[in-house]
Amino acid sequence: MATEITVAQDGSANHTTIQQAIDAVPLDNTARTIIRVAPGVYKQPLFVAKSKNFIALVGSIPENTIITWNNTASKIEHHLDAETVGKGTFGCGTVIVEAEDFIAENITFENNAPEGSHQAVAIRVSADRCAFYNCRFLGFQDTVYLHRGKQYLKDCYVEGSVDFIFGNSTALFEHCHIHCKADGYVTAQSRKTAEDSTAYVFLRCVITGNGGNSYAYLGRPWGPFGRVLFAYTYMDQCINHAGWHNWDKTENEGTACFYEYRCYGPGYDKSKRVAWCKELPDEQAEEFLRHAFIDPNPESPWLAQKLAHKTPVSA
């Protein structure tokens, strides 16, 4: 049976900060622990250590349950030392998750550093089997750092400008809203070899922009074999008709695996895409468009563990 911990800033719950609740979870945790978070703006960087597995962070609605901080790659203020959280882009996340089987629902993860602050991560995930349901991820450059492991994001909202979904994990975004705030690149997947199985897949998503035409690319390869697929996805006019960028390295054009499958909208024009991106045939697309892509075990529960918020934590 799951254990529940409550958080409210007014003192009516078990803890007044989310980090206190995370710290209260036993080391080498082996059972689901639900941390129910009352509405509020929580101004503190969070760190979920490797020994704190099976945590579920659950809010009421993401618009009123917000975790925010303003670290950047060049300015990190944290309650833990740099040896623990990391340095530069790796260590600047508002929330850093290194524990496996982490779930978040109805939470906003924000890095509120101003535009032009360069790398300013809202969340870094360096763990396997992590899932996010109805969450928001807010920032500009490098908003969501899916560093390693496998992740599932469903019904989420992600915004940014430059490389705002990046890393070398295997991730499935399903029914998500991706919003381009300025010139830049949606993805920067860092697959480094042809044998690496990682990829980002966007299934039945929507891409919007702030107005204007053709100012954002779907992605560029942070690693030479970067692999990204957009399938059944609406793309508005913000997407550059070329679609993809080679990171100013022509050699990447022979190794990057950038795919589109049955997409639509004013930002999708197959005839104008760069010659080295691919429109997948049905039989090749199938392997990416099932949950088995990120979890081949049909009995594994982590993709289905959405945890509805039942009662206010102050009740």
Side-chain angles (χ1 to χ4, degrees):
M1 184 175 179
T3 300
E4 293 202 6
I5 301 174
T6 56
V7 178
Q9 295 182 86
D10 64 4
S12 62
N14 301 131
H15 301 281
T16 56
T17 74
I18 301 171
Q19 188 66 57
Q20 288 172 350
I22 292 169
D23 293 343
V25 175
L27 296 175
D28 300 317
N29 190 44
T30 58
R32 178 61 64 196
T33 299
I34 301 171
I35 298 176
R36 296 200 180 274
V37 183
V41 178
Y42 294 82
K43 297 180 180 180
Q44 180 187 25
L46 299 183
F47 185 77
V48 186
K50 292 179 180 179
S51 60
K52 305 282 186 173
N53 298 328
F54 296 103
I55 286 176
L57 203 61
V58 181
S60 52
I61 59 173
E63 289 78 9
N64 68 14
T65 311
I66 300 166
I67 304 168
T68 186
W69 199 240
N70 61 357
N71 280 339
T72 69
S74 60
K75 179 193 71 69
I76 297 177
E77 296 179 7
H78 209 288
H79 61 284
L80 298 171
D81 58 41
E83 184 176 351
T84 302
V85 301
K87 299 178 181 179
T89 304
F90 189 76
C92 74
T94 295
V95 175
I96 296 174
V97 178
E98 296 190 349
E100 296 185 340
D101 297 285
F102 177 87
I103 294 174
E105 182 184 359
N106 300 332
I107 300 285
T108 290
F109 301 89
E110 179 185 48
N111 190 311
N112 67 2
E115 184 178 8
S117 300
H118 302 293
Q119 297 91 342
V121 175
I123 190 167
R124 168 170 59 88
V125 184
S126 300
D128 208 8
R129 298 182 304 277
C130 297
F132 299 85
Y133 300 96
N134 195 36
C135 289
R136 297 193 307 161
F137 303 88
L138 311 182
F140 281 94
Q141 182 169 343
D142 294 0
T143 307
V144 175
Y145 188 178
L146 301 180
H147 169 234
R148 66 166 184 85
K150 294 182 178 180
Q151 292 93 39
Y152 178 53
L153 295 88
K154 186 174 184 182
D155 302 325
C156 291
Y157 172 86
V158 186
E159 69 174 30
S161 55
V162 177
D163 304 334
F164 61 95
I165 300 171
F166 74 110
N168 192 32
S169 70
T170 297
L172 174 60
F173 293 75
E174 187 172 11
H175 299 150
C176 290
H177 180 177
I178 312 300
H179 185 69
C180 304
K181 297 171 72 174
D183 296 0
Y185 313 87
V186 175
T187 65
Q189 212 272 346
S190 61
R191 182 170 172 256
K192 295 176 176 58
T193 68
E195 293 72 33
D196 188 339
S197 63
T198 63
Y200 293 162
V201 174
F202 296 81
L203 178 59
R204 298 185 180 89
C205 293
V206 171
I207 303 175
T208 60
N210 277 347
N213 298 321
S214 302
Y215 63 80
Y217 290 87
L218 295 171
R220 58 179 180 170
W222 187 17
F225 291 82
R227 187 164 62 162
V228 180
L229 167 66
F230 287 89
Y232 300 107
T233 290
Y234 173 84
M235 302 176 183
D236 88 357
Q237 61 188 9
C238 70
I239 297 300
N240 189 296
H241 287 305
W244 306 88
H245 194 277
N246 64 10
W247 211 305
D248 296 325
K249 297 179 180 179
T250 55
E251 61 269 28
N252 286 338
E253 296 177 10
T255 55
C257 299
F258 292 152
Y259 307 125
E260 294 172 70
Y261 181 74
R262 299 192 180 186
C263 295
Y264 60 103
Y268 176 72
D269 187 338
K270 183 169 61 174
S271 68
K272 296 180 181 179
R273 288 296 194 249
V274 293
W276 44 275
C277 78
K278 302 173 179 66
E279 179 78 20
L280 282 184
D282 293 347
E283 60 273 14
Q284 292 184 27
E286 181 65 23
E287 67 175 288
F288 294 101
L289 303 182
R290 296 175 289 115
H291 286 172
F293 168 67
I294 52 172
D295 187 3
N297 179 5
E299 298 181 359
S300 180
W302 71 279
L303 294 183
Q305 288 197 9
K306 191 168 185 237
L307 302 165
H309 186 85
K310 296 175 183 177
T311 57
V313 296
S314 58

